[in-house]
Amino acid sequence: MKAVLEFNYPEDEDKLRHALNGTGYYNALLEIENLLKESTSKSPKLKEICGVINKAKEGLICGT
């Protein structure tokens, strides 16, 4: 499978940067999630944050 991304530079510079750094962003989400799981806090906000991370990961994987 091949995919070609085209950007109008410099107008789409931010989009290009995000495309190039996607793997790093995903890895950062995984690292944040792991740190939160290690937390001893059981606060509702912690569960909410984990929910947001999961939605972001699903969007990155499924392209939604």
Side-chain angles (χ1 to χ4, degrees):
M1 176 178 160
K2 287 186 178 185
V4 177
L5 300 175
E6 292 186 16
F7 299 96
N8 294 320
Y9 192 81
E11 301 87 28
D12 294 334
E13 185 175 359
D14 287 341
K15 292 177 184 178
L16 172 62
R17 190 168 6 97
H18 293 312
L20 293 173
N21 294 314
T23 302
Y25 295 160
Y26 184 77
N27 289 335
L29 281 175
L30 292 178
E31 191 171 334
I32 292 167
E33 182 180 43
N34 288 335
L35 289 171
L36 289 172
K37 285 180 181 177
E38 292 174 3
S39 171
T40 58
S41 172
K42 301 295 180 196
S43 75
K45 279 290 182 193
L46 181 61
K47 288 183 179 182
E48 185 178 340
I49 292 167
C50 287
V52 169
I53 290 171
N54 284 331
K55 284 183 182 179
K57 286 188 335 189
E58 288 173 13
L60 289 170
I61 293 169
C62 301
T64 57

